[in-house]
Amino acid sequence: MKNDKLKNQYRVNGQIRVPEVRVVGDEGATVMSTRDALDLARQQGVDLVEISPNAQPPVCRIIDYSKFLYQQKKHAKEMKQKQVKVEVKEIRFGPQTDEHDYAFKLKHAKEFLEEGNKVRAYVFFRGRSILFKEQGEVLLLRFANDLEEFGKVEQLPKLEGKKMFLYMAPKKAGQAKKSQQKMDREKREAEAKEQQKVEAEQRAAENGLGQVKGADALKNLKFEED
C-alpha cells in the first residue's frame, strides 16, 4: 500500500504531457522538449520521472524509476530517524518531601531535560494533606527555579483534583542560561582568586624588600668593621 501511494506521487514517461521540461542531473539542468527528454531516457534504458510538477517548466530526472522510488523511500526513512522523539517524564513529590528525596528527583529531572525530554512534576495530596497545597506550590516553584538552567516552564503549578502539576520543556542546545545563584557563585570565586593573587604578590614583594634591607644592613656592618 505504501509503495502504491509513493508511485502515485510522480508522473513517469508517457504520463508527462507538458510541452517542455527542465531535466536535472549531475551536470546541471537543461530545458528541452518533453519528446526529446523521453527519447534521451529511452536511449539510456531508463525513465523520465517528473519530480517537481509545479515548477515552470516542470522538473524531471532521467533515472530508473525503481531506483528513484528506492532512493525516496530511503530518504524518508532517514528523515524519520532524525526526528527527535520528545517524551514526557514524570516526577512525583509529596507535600512534605525531604531534602534527600528532593535532591534525588532534581538530579533525574536535569537528566531528562538534557536528553531533550519534557518534565511533568506534580505533588500528590493524599487525604487531609490537601491542606498543605500552598506548601506543594512552593515546592514546585523551587523545583522550577533549580532547573532554570536546563528547562523553561510551560505551565506554572496548577491544582487538578488531588494533584498539583508543573510542566517544563528542555531549552534548546546552546541556549541554556546560567541561574543567578550560579553566576553569583562564579563571581565570588573569581573575586576570591584575584584577591589571593594580589595577596601573594604583596607577600612576594615584602619578602623581596626584606631581603634587600637585610643585604644593605650586612654591607653597612661589614663597612663599619673595616
Side-chain angles (χ1 to χ4, degrees):
M1 182 66 71
K2 289 184 179 179
N3 288 336
D4 291 341
K5 186 177 180 180
L6 189 61
K7 286 181 180 179
N8 293 332
Q9 289 182 1
Y10 304 98
R11 285 192 283 264
V12 59
N13 296 327
Q15 297 173 346
I16 306 171
R17 295 191 173 91
V18 293
E20 64 179 11
V21 293
R22 185 184 303 275
V23 179
V24 295
D26 295 336
E27 298 179 356
T30 304
V31 176
M32 63 177 69
S33 70
T34 304
R35 179 178 296 180
D36 289 343
L38 287 168
D39 289 341
L40 190 58
R42 290 193 198 97
Q43 291 171 13
Q44 297 180 20
V46 289
D47 304 291
L48 182 67
V49 183
E50 186 183 61
I51 60 176
S52 183
N54 296 324
Q56 295 296 329
V59 178
C60 296
R61 285 185 64 188
I62 294 177
I63 188 174
D64 181 86
Y65 190 40
S66 298
K67 181 180 178 181
F68 173 77
L69 291 178
Y70 172 77
Q71 290 176 347
Q72 293 300 107
K73 185 178 179 181
K74 183 180 179 182
H75 178 70
K77 185 177 180 180
E78 290 174 350
M79 292 299 294
K80 186 176 181 180
Q81 290 176 343
K82 289 180 180 179
Q83 290 177 350
V84 179
K85 185 178 180 181
V86 178
E87 296 183 8
V88 179
K89 302 290 187 178
E90 283 196 342
I91 300 290
R92 172 176 169 169
F93 293 104
Q96 296 177 319
T97 300
D98 60 43
E99 284 299 316
H100 177 74
D101 191 32
Y102 175 84
F104 179 76
K105 292 177 177 178
L106 180 67
K107 178 184 176 183
H108 279 289
K110 289 178 180 178
E111 292 173 353
F112 293 149
L113 291 169
E114 286 179 327
E115 291 170 357
N117 298 305
K118 292 187 177 184
V119 170
R120 179 172 67 179
Y122 68 93
V123 180
F124 179 68
F125 301 98
R126 189 188 302 275
R128 293 177 61 83
S129 66
I130 192 69
L131 298 174
F132 299 98
K133 62 181 181 180
E134 289 82 5
Q135 191 171 337
E137 182 178 5
V138 170
L139 174 65
L140 290 176
L141 290 174
R142 174 192 173 189
F143 186 71
N145 183 67
D146 289 342
L147 290 171
E148 65 175 348
E149 185 178 344
F150 306 91
K152 56 185 179 181
V153 175
E154 285 193 330
Q155 177 186 299
L156 288 169
K158 182 180 179 182
L159 186 63
E160 298 178 14
K162 293 184 179 181
K163 297 179 180 179
M164 181 175 287
F165 291 95
L166 167 77
Y167 289 86
M168 296 194 69
K171 285 187 175 180
K172 293 182 179 179
Q175 292 185 353
K177 296 180 180 179
K178 295 181 181 179
S179 64
Q180 187 62 46
Q181 294 93 331
K182 187 172 183 178
M183 288 191 291
D184 292 341
R185 184 175 68 251
E186 290 179 350
K187 182 179 179 181
R188 290 194 298 269
E189 291 174 353
E191 290 175 347
K193 288 181 179 179
E194 184 65 25
Q195 183 63 30
Q196 290 173 358
K197 182 180 178 181
V198 171
E199 291 175 355
E201 290 175 349
Q202 289 177 343
R203 286 195 297 270
E206 290 172 357
N207 291 336
L209 182 60
Q211 292 174 359
V212 171
K213 289 181 177 179
D216 290 343
L218 185 59
K219 287 180 180 179
N220 291 336
L221 178 61
K222 186 174 181 181
F223 178 77
E224 290 174 358
E225 289 176 350
D226 293 343

